[in-house]
Structures are given as structure tokens and as C-alpha cells.
Amino acid sequence: MTDYLPDVATVPFPMPRPEDLPGDVPALAAAAPSALAGLAGTVADPAHRTGLAGMLAAVRTARVDLGPVPSTLVVDDPGESRPNRHNDLAFGIERRHGDPLTLFVAAALNAHLGILEIAEERGTGLDESAWHDLVAGFDTLVRWPTDPTRLPTPLPVPGCPSSGNPNPSTGSGAGSAATMSSWCSPKAAPSP
């Protein structure tokens, strides 16, 4: 893979064709590979939800456990709209044939991994609520296919330091260990 935007995106970014994904809940339930349950369990493990580093490790483990997803490149797709093709080109997306649900979960894990790596290295400019929503969205993308008849219960979301502090490891002020500890402590999941 090559860097698409330095330190932001890696391409190619394989994804299934949207029309290849299951179209309703019964089709999704029938198509979900059993391996997805283990991945979802890794991501949801409470031991990995107490801090950003633990959550990042869990997502890395889930992606490694999923392994390479056998697929072939889609070329000259007559069903692809011109705007969708432009979007794919802009973001380095390659549409692939293969198990569409596994390709989808791999893409979600890859994207989640990319976000968490940047957040761990640089922090985030998102407020706490937006950060929580972003992480909860990835949690849903990875966990929902294992039981599509209901939404997964919300998980605690570890906080993330603000990117406004360029050197959070200085040991004083906004970047002190105590402050980092409070920023990276888990936020309780909202009640369903």
C-alpha cells in the first residue's frame, strides 16, 4: 500500500460494491460469517474499553484475526454512477468482488484503526460528544452484522485528548499525566 494523503489515508482502500451487500435483515443474518462474532467480541471486550491504547490494540487484533479477505478488483462496473466513481477515486476506494459482508467489516476495521491511530498520536479536534458518536458508529458497524435483528448495546468509549495540545507528554499543565488520565478514561455508555 502507498500513502494517499501523508499520515491520513492509505490506498487502496478495498470495499464491496454497495449493491452486493445484503439488502435486508434476514439476508444479512444469513450472510454473516461466524468469524464476525469473534471479531465483535474482541472489539467489545470491556478490558479493551478502559483507554484509547487498549481500544486501539483490540481493533488491531480484530483486523489481524480477520486476515486478508479474498477478493478481486471490480473493473468497468456499468452499475456504478459517475459521482460514486469520483468519490471512490478521491478517497482511494477500490470496489472488490468477494464476500461483501466480510469486505465491509474489514473496511470498517481499517477505517476505525486509522482514526484511532491518529487520535492516539495527535489527539482529536472533536468535542467529547462527537468523539463518542464517531467511535460508537464504528462499534455498530463491526458488531451489528453478528445479530442484525437488534442494535448492539452501547459500549463505553474511552476519551481522547484534544489535538490543541501539541505535546501532551510534557508532564505539566494541560498535558500532565493526571489530565491525560482523565481525558483517556472511559465514558459510560448511554442507557438504551
Side-chain angles (χ1 to χ4, degrees):
M1 294 189 171
T2 59
D3 286 337
Y4 180 60
L5 296 174
D7 300 318
V8 176
T10 301
V11 295
F13 191 84
M15 291 183 69
R17 294 175 346 128
E19 56 272 22
D20 291 344
L21 289 164
D24 57 28
V25 169
L28 181 60
S34 59
L36 295 185
L39 301 175
T42 298
V43 171
D45 185 339
H48 298 145
R49 306 300 292 203
T50 60
L52 191 57
M55 188 167 58
L56 176 57
V59 174
R60 278 189 182 130
T61 298
R63 185 60 191 98
V64 167
D65 289 351
L66 181 60
V69 181
S71 63
T72 58
L73 183 63
V74 173
V75 291
D76 299 325
D77 183 359
E80 183 176 46
S81 70
R82 184 175 173 177
N84 192 56
R85 181 69 188 137
H86 288 175
N87 184 69
D88 285 357
L89 288 171
F91 290 99
I93 295 169
E94 280 187 357
R95 298 297 172 171
R96 312 285 296 189
H97 290 294
D99 179 327
L101 200 51
T102 304
L103 282 165
F104 176 80
V105 170
L109 288 169
N110 288 340
H112 197 185
L113 189 57
I115 295 293
L116 293 175
E117 287 172 343
I118 291 169
E120 182 183 56
E121 181 181 323
R122 301 181 194 164
T124 181
L126 299 174
D127 64 33
E128 185 178 356
S129 177
W131 170 252
H132 181 272
D133 290 347
L134 177 65
V135 172
F138 281 114
D139 287 341
T140 300
L141 290 174
V142 172
R143 295 171 57 225
W144 181 64
T146 64
D147 185 1
T149 60
R150 62 183 178 81
L151 286 176
T153 53
L155 298 171
V157 174
C160 183
S162 169
S163 61
N165 184 4
N167 190 2
S169 62
T170 61
S172 64
S176 71
T179 304
M180 286 295 290
S181 173
S182 69
W183 280 339
C184 294
S185 62
K187 178 179 175 184
S191 300

mmCIF file of all heavy atoms in Angstrom, residues 28 36 39-40 43-44 49 55 59 101 104-105 108-109 112 132-157 190:
data_model
loop_
_atom_site.group_PDB
_atom_site.id
_atom_site.type_symbol
_atom_site.label_atom_id
_atom_site.label_comp_id
_atom_site.label_asym_id
_atom_site.label_seq_id
_atom_site.Cartn_x
_atom_site.Cartn_y
_atom_site.Cartn_z
ATOM 1 N N LEU A 28 -28.993 -10.338 5.703
ATOM 2 C CA LEU A 28 -27.789 -10.025 6.471
ATOM 3 C C LEU A 28 -27.503 -11.124 7.487
ATOM 4 O O LEU A 28 -26.369 -11.578 7.621
ATOM 5 C CB LEU A 28 -27.961 -8.675 7.170
ATOM 6 C CG LEU A 28 -26.794 -8.171 7.997
ATOM 7 C CD1 LEU A 28 -25.554 -7.996 7.142
ATOM 8 C CD2 LEU A 28 -27.160 -6.854 8.662
ATOM 9 N N LEU A 36 -17.231 -13.284 12.300
ATOM 10 C CA LEU A 36 -17.509 -11.909 12.711
ATOM 11 C C LEU A 36 -17.862 -11.815 14.190
ATOM 12 O O LEU A 36 -17.577 -10.800 14.832
ATOM 13 C CB LEU A 36 -18.626 -11.307 11.866
ATOM 14 C CG LEU A 36 -18.319 -11.113 10.379
ATOM 15 C CD1 LEU A 36 -19.476 -10.397 9.691
ATOM 16 C CD2 LEU A 36 -17.023 -10.369 10.165
ATOM 17 N N LEU A 39 -14.691 -11.384 16.177
ATOM 18 C CA LEU A 39 -14.134 -10.037 15.987
ATOM 19 C C LEU A 39 -14.914 -9.018 16.803
ATOM 20 O O LEU A 39 -14.336 -8.143 17.450
ATOM 21 C CB LEU A 39 -14.170 -9.644 14.515
ATOM 22 C CG LEU A 39 -13.417 -10.545 13.543
ATOM 23 C CD1 LEU A 39 -13.663 -10.084 12.115
ATOM 24 C CD2 LEU A 39 -11.952 -10.577 13.856
ATOM 25 N N ALA A 40 -16.237 -9.143 16.753
ATOM 26 C CA ALA A 40 -17.087 -8.223 17.504
ATOM 27 C C ALA A 40 -16.817 -8.356 18.999
ATOM 28 O O ALA A 40 -16.778 -7.364 19.725
ATOM 29 C CB ALA A 40 -18.555 -8.488 17.194
ATOM 30 N N VAL A 43 -13.550 -6.499 19.907
ATOM 31 C CA VAL A 43 -13.741 -5.050 19.933
ATOM 32 C C VAL A 43 -14.564 -4.622 21.143
ATOM 33 O O VAL A 43 -14.325 -3.566 21.725
ATOM 34 C CB VAL A 43 -14.389 -4.577 18.610
ATOM 35 C CG1 VAL A 43 -14.805 -3.126 18.679
ATOM 36 C CG2 VAL A 43 -13.428 -4.801 17.443
ATOM 37 N N ALA A 44 -15.520 -5.454 21.558
ATOM 38 C CA ALA A 44 -16.431 -5.103 22.650
ATOM 39 C C ALA A 44 -15.915 -5.497 24.035
ATOM 40 O O ALA A 44 -16.511 -5.102 25.036
ATOM 41 C CB ALA A 44 -17.791 -5.768 22.418
ATOM 42 N N ARG A 49 -11.739 -1.450 26.739
ATOM 43 C CA ARG A 49 -12.510 -0.210 26.613
ATOM 44 C C ARG A 49 -12.185 0.793 27.709
ATOM 45 O O ARG A 49 -12.908 1.758 27.902
ATOM 46 C CB ARG A 49 -14.013 -0.523 26.649
ATOM 47 C CG ARG A 49 -14.507 -1.561 25.648
ATOM 48 C CD ARG A 49 -14.272 -1.176 24.234
ATOM 49 N NE ARG A 49 -15.089 -0.057 23.846
ATOM 50 C CZ ARG A 49 -15.430 0.225 22.605
ATOM 51 N NH1 ARG A 49 -15.014 -0.522 21.612
ATOM 52 N NH2 ARG A 49 -16.157 1.282 22.336
ATOM 53 N N MET A 55 -8.244 0.140 23.391
ATOM 54 C CA MET A 55 -9.207 0.039 22.288
ATOM 55 C C MET A 55 -8.473 -0.101 20.960
ATOM 56 O O MET A 55 -8.862 -0.902 20.107
ATOM 57 C CB MET A 55 -10.134 1.251 22.279
ATOM 58 C CG MET A 55 -11.282 1.109 21.285
ATOM 59 S SD MET A 55 -12.590 2.345 21.502
ATOM 60 C CE MET A 55 -11.707 3.861 21.317
ATOM 61 N N VAL A 59 -8.817 -3.277 18.285
ATOM 62 C CA VAL A 59 -9.171 -3.133 16.865
ATOM 63 C C VAL A 59 -8.055 -3.717 15.996
ATOM 64 O O VAL A 59 -8.333 -4.401 15.005
ATOM 65 C CB VAL A 59 -9.476 -1.659 16.511
ATOM 66 C CG1 VAL A 59 -9.698 -1.491 15.016
ATOM 67 C CG2 VAL A 59 -10.711 -1.197 17.276
ATOM 68 N N LEU A 101 -19.940 -8.925 2.996
ATOM 69 C CA LEU A 101 -20.049 -8.555 4.402
ATOM 70 C C LEU A 101 -18.674 -8.564 5.080
ATOM 71 O O LEU A 101 -18.360 -7.678 5.877
ATOM 72 C CB LEU A 101 -21.023 -9.479 5.127
ATOM 73 C CG LEU A 101 -21.598 -8.970 6.424
ATOM 74 C CD1 LEU A 101 -22.184 -7.576 6.283
ATOM 75 C CD2 LEU A 101 -22.643 -9.928 6.944
ATOM 76 N N PHE A 104 -16.881 -5.547 3.939
ATOM 77 C CA PHE A 104 -17.434 -4.382 4.633
ATOM 78 C C PHE A 104 -16.849 -4.252 6.036
ATOM 79 O O PHE A 104 -16.416 -3.172 6.447
ATOM 80 C CB PHE A 104 -18.960 -4.490 4.681
ATOM 81 C CG PHE A 104 -19.618 -3.383 5.453
ATOM 82 C CD1 PHE A 104 -19.816 -2.145 4.877
ATOM 83 C CD2 PHE A 104 -20.037 -3.588 6.756
ATOM 84 C CE1 PHE A 104 -20.423 -1.114 5.580
ATOM 85 C CE2 PHE A 104 -20.646 -2.571 7.468
ATOM 86 C CZ PHE A 104 -20.844 -1.327 6.879
ATOM 87 N N VAL A 105 -16.839 -5.359 6.797
ATOM 88 C CA VAL A 105 -16.307 -5.320 8.161
ATOM 89 C C VAL A 105 -14.810 -5.025 8.136
ATOM 90 O O VAL A 105 -14.309 -4.259 8.963
ATOM 91 C CB VAL A 105 -16.634 -6.619 8.923
ATOM 92 C CG1 VAL A 105 -15.887 -6.699 10.244
ATOM 93 C CG2 VAL A 105 -18.144 -6.714 9.170
ATOM 94 N N ALA A 108 -14.492 -1.361 7.645
ATOM 95 C CA ALA A 108 -14.835 -0.639 8.874
ATOM 96 C C ALA A 108 -13.695 -0.731 9.883
ATOM 97 O O ALA A 108 -13.337 0.270 10.521
ATOM 98 C CB ALA A 108 -16.130 -1.193 9.470
ATOM 99 N N LEU A 109 -13.113 -1.919 10.033
ATOM 100 C CA LEU A 109 -11.982 -2.074 10.951
ATOM 101 C C LEU A 109 -10.780 -1.244 10.492
ATOM 102 O O LEU A 109 -10.101 -0.616 11.304
ATOM 103 C CB LEU A 109 -11.590 -3.548 11.096
ATOM 104 C CG LEU A 109 -12.548 -4.423 11.898
ATOM 105 C CD1 LEU A 109 -12.192 -5.903 11.731
ATOM 106 C CD2 LEU A 109 -12.549 -4.040 13.370
ATOM 107 N N HIS A 112 -11.569 2.378 11.267
ATOM 108 C CA HIS A 112 -11.529 2.592 12.715
ATOM 109 C C HIS A 112 -10.081 2.612 13.192
ATOM 110 O O HIS A 112 -9.686 3.473 13.989
ATOM 111 C CB HIS A 112 -12.322 1.485 13.408
ATOM 112 C CG HIS A 112 -12.690 1.780 14.823
ATOM 113 N ND1 HIS A 112 -13.298 0.867 15.621
ATOM 114 C CD2 HIS A 112 -12.536 2.871 15.592
ATOM 115 C CE1 HIS A 112 -13.502 1.380 16.827
ATOM 116 N NE2 HIS A 112 -13.041 2.593 16.830
ATOM 117 N N HIS A 132 -17.389 10.465 20.940
ATOM 118 C CA HIS A 132 -18.180 9.310 21.382
ATOM 119 C C HIS A 132 -19.030 8.780 20.227
ATOM 120 O O HIS A 132 -19.085 7.567 19.986
ATOM 121 C CB HIS A 132 -19.055 9.698 22.574
ATOM 122 C CG HIS A 132 -19.863 8.561 23.094
ATOM 123 N ND1 HIS A 132 -21.102 8.243 22.605
ATOM 124 C CD2 HIS A 132 -19.577 7.634 24.041
ATOM 125 C CE1 HIS A 132 -21.564 7.178 23.227
ATOM 126 N NE2 HIS A 132 -20.670 6.791 24.108
ATOM 127 N N ASP A 133 -19.697 9.666 19.517
ATOM 128 C CA ASP A 133 -20.548 9.245 18.395
ATOM 129 C C ASP A 133 -19.742 8.568 17.291
ATOM 130 O O ASP A 133 -20.191 7.578 16.712
ATOM 131 C CB ASP A 133 -21.307 10.439 17.811
ATOM 132 C CG ASP A 133 -22.391 10.965 18.737
ATOM 133 O OD1 ASP A 133 -22.736 10.280 19.733
ATOM 134 O OD2 ASP A 133 -22.890 12.081 18.478
ATOM 135 N N LEU A 134 -18.554 9.095 17.003
ATOM 136 C CA LEU A 134 -17.709 8.506 15.965
ATOM 137 C C LEU A 134 -17.306 7.085 16.334
ATOM 138 O O LEU A 134 -17.473 6.149 15.543
ATOM 139 C CB LEU A 134 -16.459 9.368 15.742
ATOM 140 C CG LEU A 134 -15.438 8.846 14.719
ATOM 141 C CD1 LEU A 134 -16.033 8.822 13.319
ATOM 142 C CD2 LEU A 134 -14.184 9.704 14.753
ATOM 143 N N VAL A 135 -16.804 6.893 17.543
ATOM 144 C CA VAL A 135 -16.381 5.568 17.984
ATOM 145 C C VAL A 135 -17.578 4.621 18.078
ATOM 146 O O VAL A 135 -17.506 3.467 17.655
ATOM 147 C CB VAL A 135 -15.614 5.644 19.322
ATOM 148 C CG1 VAL A 135 -15.332 4.255 19.879
ATOM 149 C CG2 VAL A 135 -14.310 6.421 19.136
ATOM 150 N N ALA A 136 -18.693 5.110 18.594
ATOM 151 C CA ALA A 136 -19.901 4.277 18.702
ATOM 152 C C ALA A 136 -20.390 3.852 17.316
ATOM 153 O O ALA A 136 -20.895 2.735 17.142
ATOM 154 C CB ALA A 136 -20.998 5.031 19.451
ATOM 155 N N GLY A 137 -20.228 4.710 16.324
ATOM 156 C CA GLY A 137 -20.598 4.346 14.955
ATOM 157 C C GLY A 137 -19.770 3.186 14.435
ATOM 158 O O GLY A 137 -20.299 2.243 13.840
ATOM 159 N N PHE A 138 -18.455 3.235 14.667
ATOM 160 C CA PHE A 138 -17.604 2.109 14.252
ATOM 161 C C PHE A 138 -17.963 0.848 15.023
ATOM 162 O O PHE A 138 -17.993 -0.250 14.451
ATOM 163 C CB PHE A 138 -16.124 2.446 14.437
ATOM 164 C CG PHE A 138 -15.569 3.316 13.339
ATOM 165 C CD1 PHE A 138 -15.154 4.604 13.615
ATOM 166 C CD2 PHE A 138 -15.464 2.844 12.039
ATOM 167 C CE1 PHE A 138 -14.647 5.410 12.607
ATOM 168 C CE2 PHE A 138 -14.956 3.646 11.031
ATOM 169 C CZ PHE A 138 -14.546 4.925 11.311
ATOM 170 N N ASP A 139 -18.239 0.987 16.324
ATOM 171 C CA ASP A 139 -18.658 -0.176 17.113
ATOM 172 C C ASP A 139 -19.879 -0.831 16.486
ATOM 173 O O ASP A 139 -19.961 -2.059 16.363
ATOM 174 C CB ASP A 139 -19.003 0.237 18.545
ATOM 175 C CG ASP A 139 -17.796 0.580 19.384
ATOM 176 O OD1 ASP A 139 -16.665 0.190 19.030
ATOM 177 O OD2 ASP A 139 -17.987 1.254 20.427
ATOM 178 N N THR A 140 -20.834 -0.022 16.069
ATOM 179 C CA THR A 140 -22.061 -0.555 15.464
ATOM 180 C C THR A 140 -21.768 -1.230 14.136
ATOM 181 O O THR A 140 -22.285 -2.320 13.866
ATOM 182 C CB THR A 140 -23.101 0.568 15.296
ATOM 183 O OG1 THR A 140 -23.402 1.107 16.599
ATOM 184 C CG2 THR A 140 -24.377 0.057 14.652
ATOM 185 N N LEU A 141 -20.933 -0.617 13.305
ATOM 186 C CA LEU A 141 -20.611 -1.220 12.003
ATOM 187 C C LEU A 141 -19.983 -2.601 12.150
ATOM 188 O O LEU A 141 -20.251 -3.498 11.356
ATOM 189 C CB LEU A 141 -19.650 -0.324 11.216
ATOM 190 C CG LEU A 141 -20.212 0.979 10.688
ATOM 191 C CD1 LEU A 141 -19.104 1.821 10.054
ATOM 192 C CD2 LEU A 141 -21.325 0.732 9.692
ATOM 193 N N VAL A 142 -19.146 -2.777 13.169
ATOM 194 C CA VAL A 142 -18.465 -4.055 13.357
ATOM 195 C C VAL A 142 -19.346 -5.062 14.083
ATOM 196 O O VAL A 142 -19.331 -6.252 13.764
ATOM 197 C CB VAL A 142 -17.132 -3.843 14.118
ATOM 198 C CG1 VAL A 142 -16.490 -5.164 14.495
ATOM 199 C CG2 VAL A 142 -16.174 -3.011 13.263
ATOM 200 N N ARG A 143 -20.157 -4.611 15.029
ATOM 201 C CA ARG A 143 -20.917 -5.542 15.867
ATOM 202 C C ARG A 143 -22.307 -5.881 15.343
ATOM 203 O O ARG A 143 -22.812 -6.983 15.581
ATOM 204 C CB ARG A 143 -21.021 -4.963 17.285
ATOM 205 C CG ARG A 143 -19.659 -4.863 17.957
ATOM 206 C CD ARG A 143 -19.692 -4.102 19.267
ATOM 207 N NE ARG A 143 -20.622 -4.690 20.205
ATOM 208 C CZ ARG A 143 -21.485 -3.980 20.928
ATOM 209 N NH1 ARG A 143 -21.527 -2.668 20.833
ATOM 210 N NH2 ARG A 143 -22.292 -4.586 21.758
ATOM 211 N N TRP A 144 -22.962 -4.971 14.658
ATOM 212 C CA TRP A 144 -24.344 -5.199 14.247
ATOM 213 C C TRP A 144 -24.521 -6.404 13.317
ATOM 214 O O TRP A 144 -25.486 -7.165 13.490
ATOM 215 C CB TRP A 144 -24.930 -3.935 13.617
ATOM 216 C CG TRP A 144 -26.348 -4.075 13.194
ATOM 217 C CD1 TRP A 144 -27.428 -4.293 13.992
ATOM 218 C CD2 TRP A 144 -26.854 -4.024 11.864
ATOM 219 N NE1 TRP A 144 -28.578 -4.365 13.248
ATOM 220 C CE2 TRP A 144 -28.246 -4.207 11.934
ATOM 221 C CE3 TRP A 144 -26.260 -3.835 10.621
ATOM 222 C CZ2 TRP A 144 -29.042 -4.211 10.801
ATOM 223 C CZ3 TRP A 144 -27.061 -3.832 9.511
ATOM 224 C CH2 TRP A 144 -28.444 -4.025 9.599
ATOM 225 N N PRO A 145 -23.637 -6.636 12.358
ATOM 226 C CA PRO A 145 -23.858 -7.788 11.474
ATOM 227 C C PRO A 145 -23.901 -9.139 12.192
ATOM 228 O O PRO A 145 -24.452 -10.104 11.664
ATOM 229 C CB PRO A 145 -22.667 -7.737 10.504
ATOM 230 C CG PRO A 145 -22.257 -6.306 10.490
ATOM 231 C CD PRO A 145 -22.500 -5.824 11.893
ATOM 232 N N THR A 146 -23.355 -9.232 13.410
ATOM 233 C CA THR A 146 -23.397 -10.514 14.123
ATOM 234 C C THR A 146 -24.789 -10.845 14.634
ATOM 235 O O THR A 146 -25.101 -12.006 14.859
ATOM 236 C CB THR A 146 -22.397 -10.535 15.303
ATOM 237 O OG1 THR A 146 -22.780 -9.559 16.260
ATOM 238 C CG2 THR A 146 -20.981 -10.283 14.809
ATOM 239 N N ASP A 147 -25.626 -9.841 14.851
ATOM 240 C CA ASP A 147 -27.022 -10.045 15.226
ATOM 241 C C ASP A 147 -27.839 -8.865 14.706
ATOM 242 O O ASP A 147 -28.150 -7.933 15.453
ATOM 243 C CB ASP A 147 -27.189 -10.187 16.738
ATOM 244 C CG ASP A 147 -28.626 -10.511 17.132
ATOM 245 O OD1 ASP A 147 -29.508 -10.647 16.233
ATOM 246 O OD2 ASP A 147 -28.895 -10.623 18.343
ATOM 247 N N PRO A 148 -28.173 -8.896 13.417
ATOM 248 C CA PRO A 148 -28.840 -7.738 12.815
ATOM 249 C C PRO A 148 -30.294 -7.551 13.221
ATOM 250 O O PRO A 148 -30.927 -6.588 12.805
ATOM 251 C CB PRO A 148 -28.719 -8.024 11.318
ATOM 252 C CG PRO A 148 -28.613 -9.499 11.220
ATOM 253 C CD PRO A 148 -27.899 -9.947 12.453
ATOM 254 N N THR A 149 -30.821 -8.436 14.067
ATOM 255 C CA THR A 149 -32.208 -8.278 14.500
ATOM 256 C C THR A 149 -32.346 -7.227 15.602
ATOM 257 O O THR A 149 -33.447 -6.847 15.958
ATOM 258 C CB THR A 149 -32.792 -9.615 15.004
ATOM 259 O OG1 THR A 149 -32.010 -10.073 16.111
ATOM 260 C CG2 THR A 149 -32.790 -10.652 13.886
ATOM 261 N N ARG A 150 -31.210 -6.785 16.158
ATOM 262 C CA ARG A 150 -31.254 -5.736 17.182
ATOM 263 C C ARG A 150 -29.966 -4.926 17.123
ATOM 264 O O ARG A 150 -28.935 -5.414 16.668
ATOM 265 C CB ARG A 150 -31.443 -6.318 18.568
ATOM 266 C CG ARG A 150 -30.307 -7.222 19.006
ATOM 267 C CD ARG A 150 -30.575 -7.848 20.388
ATOM 268 N NE ARG A 150 -29.502 -8.736 20.745
ATOM 269 C CZ ARG A 150 -28.335 -8.354 21.249
ATOM 270 N NH1 ARG A 150 -28.111 -7.087 21.465
ATOM 271 N NH2 ARG A 150 -27.391 -9.228 21.546
ATOM 272 N N LEU A 151 -30.051 -3.683 17.582
ATOM 273 C CA LEU A 151 -28.851 -2.854 17.649
ATOM 274 C C LEU A 151 -27.988 -3.313 18.807
ATOM 275 O O LEU A 151 -28.507 -3.676 19.866
ATOM 276 C CB LEU A 151 -29.223 -1.385 17.840
ATOM 277 C CG LEU A 151 -29.783 -0.679 16.612
ATOM 278 C CD1 LEU A 151 -30.202 0.740 16.975
ATOM 279 C CD2 LEU A 151 -28.761 -0.651 15.495
ATOM 280 N N PRO A 152 -26.674 -3.302 18.647
ATOM 281 C CA PRO A 152 -25.804 -3.679 19.762
ATOM 282 C C PRO A 152 -25.950 -2.693 20.919
ATOM 283 O O PRO A 152 -26.202 -1.506 20.713
ATOM 284 C CB PRO A 152 -24.393 -3.575 19.182
ATOM 285 C CG PRO A 152 -24.550 -3.482 17.706
ATOM 286 C CD PRO A 152 -25.927 -2.963 17.442
ATOM 287 N N THR A 153 -25.797 -3.204 22.124
ATOM 288 C CA THR A 153 -25.835 -2.308 23.278
ATOM 289 C C THR A 153 -24.625 -1.377 23.214
ATOM 290 O O THR A 153 -23.541 -1.791 22.808
ATOM 291 C CB THR A 153 -25.805 -3.097 24.598
ATOM 292 O OG1 THR A 153 -24.682 -3.981 24.584
ATOM 293 C CG2 THR A 153 -27.086 -3.889 24.800
ATOM 294 N N PRO A 154 -24.818 -0.125 23.591
ATOM 295 C CA PRO A 154 -23.694 0.820 23.554
ATOM 296 C C PRO A 154 -22.562 0.382 24.485
ATOM 297 O O PRO A 154 -22.795 -0.208 25.539
ATOM 298 C CB PRO A 154 -24.304 2.131 24.029
ATOM 299 C CG PRO A 154 -25.772 1.974 23.804
ATOM 300 C CD PRO A 154 -26.065 0.513 23.985
ATOM 301 N N LEU A 155 -21.357 0.682 24.073
ATOM 302 C CA LEU A 155 -20.163 0.348 24.849
ATOM 303 C C LEU A 155 -19.553 1.623 25.431
ATOM 304 O O LEU A 155 -19.759 2.711 24.896
ATOM 305 C CB LEU A 155 -19.117 -0.301 23.936
ATOM 306 C CG LEU A 155 -19.505 -1.612 23.279
ATOM 307 C CD1 LEU A 155 -18.464 -2.013 22.237
ATOM 308 C CD2 LEU A 155 -19.655 -2.708 24.329
ATOM 309 N N PRO A 156 -18.783 1.476 26.510
ATOM 310 C CA PRO A 156 -18.042 2.644 26.986
ATOM 311 C C PRO A 156 -17.071 3.107 25.898
ATOM 312 O O PRO A 156 -16.514 2.283 25.174
ATOM 313 C CB PRO A 156 -17.271 2.125 28.201
ATOM 314 C CG PRO A 156 -17.820 0.789 28.514
ATOM 315 C CD PRO A 156 -18.528 0.287 27.302
ATOM 316 N N VAL A 157 -16.877 4.389 25.775
ATOM 317 C CA VAL A 157 -15.959 4.950 24.791
ATOM 318 C C VAL A 157 -14.879 5.714 25.551
ATOM 319 O O VAL A 157 -15.182 6.707 26.210
ATOM 320 C CB VAL A 157 -16.685 5.885 23.805
ATOM 321 C CG1 VAL A 157 -15.686 6.576 22.882
ATOM 322 C CG2 VAL A 157 -17.715 5.113 23.000
ATOM 323 N N PRO A 190 -24.359 5.387 27.108
ATOM 324 C CA PRO A 190 -25.704 5.863 27.442
ATOM 325 C C PRO A 190 -26.668 4.686 27.604
ATOM 326 O O PRO A 190 -26.457 3.631 27.026
ATOM 327 C CB PRO A 190 -26.078 6.727 26.243
ATOM 328 C CG PRO A 190 -25.196 6.259 25.134
ATOM 329 C CD PRO A 190 -23.957 5.729 25.763
#
